[in-house]
Amino acid sequence: MTEALAPGLREVGMVTSALWSDVDGDGWPDLLLTLEWGNVKCFHNNQGKDFEDWSERAGFAAAGTGWWTSIAAADFNGDGRMDYVVGNVGLNTQYHADAVHPALLFSGDFKGDGSTQLIEGYYEGDKLYPWRSRQYLATTIPAILKRFPTNASYAKATLGEVVGEGRLAAARRFAATELRSGVFLSQPDGTYRFEPLPHLAQISPLQGIVAGDFDGDGHADIYAVQNSYAPIPAVGHFNNGLSQLLRGDGHGHFTPVPPAESGLIVPGDAKALIVLDLDGDGWPDFVVSRNNNTTLAFHNNGVSGHHPLRVVLRGPAGNPTGVGARITVELADGSTQTSEVYAGSGYYSQSTASCFFGFPDSNPPKHIRVRWPSGITTVYDGPPRSATLNFSAPPTTGQP
């Protein structure tokens, strides 16, 4: 059904993660994708009829192309609409990129025998040079050793001179113009604006990402695990991070929490990350997987004076966890937290279907609104009497 419902997905590129989320608040889940060597893509759900590429219209494409790895959602700026955090390779590698001088990858026949080779390029000023050394590139294109008999002659040659201007022009070109991880924050006009995460979050690639109120202060936070052992040996590992907890302020800004303070220390090639309640106390805990290493579990000890609020939905037959529902918690001061119920999201992972909120002693919840997938909205009043609340879906007969 791809051609009939979402033809834009046929040649969308290398997808690294996906998320179903109601981007425009019309009650229909839209599809968000992160791409390697591409944009963050948004396919708008036209009331179940088909999916239209809204990447430009909604502002996601404006962030540029990158090596996007993962995506998670929460209402980071408190306006009642979902915002999105996306992982990228960061700024602490040998790679640099911007709109004028992107990181480049070319795929084409550079040997002249009908085969395909991949060659990276980088800019020095306005000139494009090959990334790899003469010896390394010669393992793919042996003729380079004859054309450039010395390393000195090779070092002076541009990429076009090395592989041939005609062959370079005929090759497929992939560009990355943005390497920073960041958040897409909802704007009053209905679009999204990309804001890079704090500099400390750029020290290593962000892989698994989750979002929610992890410290019970009434604002959504971000937790991400880091590093990548995927680059080729000539590049080496990107392994400078121990994971990042970013405390949100409710206005779309974040403060890094040092691992020594948070206790969230994840060395190695971290991959999947999920949030769940390991012991039923209402506080969100984490489980992390690592490539060629042990899985780690972190228990949340909570914050004095703050309270967790875990909301669990019981949906109708066929949707027992209420996937697609949107939950909004309104606190006493009028501020809100909003979350959605997902079935799989992020990077190689599926968190619990529960939604995690929180509040301080001085600002308890006064309303909890659930917009069910059917379109019906139910409201629960009064402060919660438990750290975990269970709500059941209402009958779907009648008008929403």
Side-chain angles (χ1 to χ4, degrees):
M1 296 300 293
T2 303
E3 291 296 340
L5 296 181
L9 289 177
R10 179 64 68 192
E11 301 288 341
V12 73
M14 186 180 291
V15 178
T16 54
S17 64
L19 179 70
W20 288 98
S21 178
D22 186 2
V23 171
D24 61 342
D26 65 353
W28 294 83
D30 309 301
L31 179 60
L32 293 159
L33 305 176
T34 58
L35 304 180
E36 185 173 302
W37 295 105
N39 300 108
V40 175
K41 304 289 283 187
C42 174
F43 290 91
H44 179 257
N45 187 340
N46 293 323
Q47 299 185 3
K49 300 181 183 71
D50 56 29
F51 291 86
E52 182 181 356
D53 189 344
W54 274 25
S55 306
E56 294 277 355
R57 174 175 174 177
F60 292 97
T65 55
W67 298 337
W68 309 107
T69 55
S70 52
I71 184 169
D75 181 12
F76 296 124
N77 58 11
D79 66 353
R81 295 176 57 201
M82 302 308 297
D83 306 301
Y84 304 96
V85 54
V86 287
N88 209 338
V89 72
L91 299 177
N92 195 20
T93 74
Q94 63 180 271
Y95 295 97
H96 305 279
D98 56 41
V100 178
H101 300 117
L104 294 171
L105 178 69
F106 296 90
S107 173
D109 178 12
F110 297 108
K111 295 170 65 175
D113 62 358
S115 61
T116 300
Q117 296 81 46
L118 298 175
I119 295 180
E120 293 177 277
Y122 79 102
Y123 281 97
E124 285 187 11
D126 291 326
K127 290 186 176 181
L128 185 61
Y129 292 92
W131 245 124
R132 302 296 151 225
S133 69
R134 171 176 168 269
Q135 291 293 334
Y136 185 94
L137 201 56
T139 61
T140 302
I141 310 174
I144 286 177
L145 295 179
K146 292 183 178 180
R147 293 176 56 200
F148 299 94
T150 66
N151 288 332
S153 62
Y154 177 82
K156 297 175 183 178
T158 65
L159 183 57
E161 291 168 342
V162 169
V163 301
E165 296 289 357
R167 290 175 179 172
L168 186 63
R172 292 188 66 186
R173 178 182 182 272
F174 301 90
T177 62
E178 177 60 82
L179 302 182
R180 296 172 295 181
S181 301
V183 291
F184 287 97
L185 297 174
S186 55
Q187 302 301 299
D189 63 359
T191 64
Y192 285 81
R193 185 186 75 246
F194 180 75
E195 291 286 340
L197 290 173
H199 189 73
L200 191 60
Q202 312 294 347
I203 64 171
S204 199
L206 297 190
Q207 308 280 39
I209 298 180
V210 291
D213 188 353
F214 302 138
D215 58 3
D217 66 351
H219 308 306
D221 310 304
I222 297 168
Y223 180 52
V225 293
Q226 297 175 288
N227 304 330
S228 174
Y229 289 11
I232 59 176
V235 176
H237 294 165
F238 300 153
N239 60 348
N240 305 293
L242 294 174
S243 81
Q244 290 286 334
L245 177 63
L246 301 168
R247 182 175 292 130
D249 67 353
H251 301 288
H253 308 120
F254 300 91
T255 301
V257 180
E261 178 184 333
S262 69
L264 297 168
I265 299 175
V266 183
D269 191 11
K271 294 298 183 186
L273 166 65
I274 63 170
V275 58
L276 73 169
D277 186 357
L278 286 169
D279 57 351
D281 64 355
W283 286 102
D285 308 307
F286 304 121
V287 173
V288 181
S289 72
R290 297 180 293 171
N291 189 34
N292 290 326
N293 212 324
T294 57
T295 296
L296 301 177
F298 293 95
H299 177 260
N300 190 336
N301 293 321
V303 177
S304 178
H306 293 182
H307 303 274
L309 180 59
R310 174 175 171 247
V311 177
V312 181
L313 301 186
R314 296 193 180 101
N319 188 7
T321 59
V323 170
R326 176 174 288 196
I327 303 169
T328 300
V329 175
E330 182 180 350
L331 303 183
D333 66 355
S335 62
T336 62
Q337 304 175 64
T338 301
S339 187
E340 294 174 322
V341 181
Y342 304 118
S345 63
Y347 185 83
Y348 293 157
S349 60
Q350 177 166 320
S351 293
T352 178
S354 305
C355 293
F356 293 93
F357 305 94
F359 59 94
D361 286 333
S362 59
N363 196 21
K366 63 178 181 180
H367 302 297
I368 300 174
R369 294 189 298 275
V370 180
R371 191 191 71 191
W372 297 88
S374 64
I376 296 174
T377 297
T378 52
V379 180
Y380 305 88
D381 296 319
R385 294 181 294 275
S386 172
T388 297
L389 299 180
N390 295 274
F391 300 133
S392 297
T396 57
T397 57
Q399 295 296 317

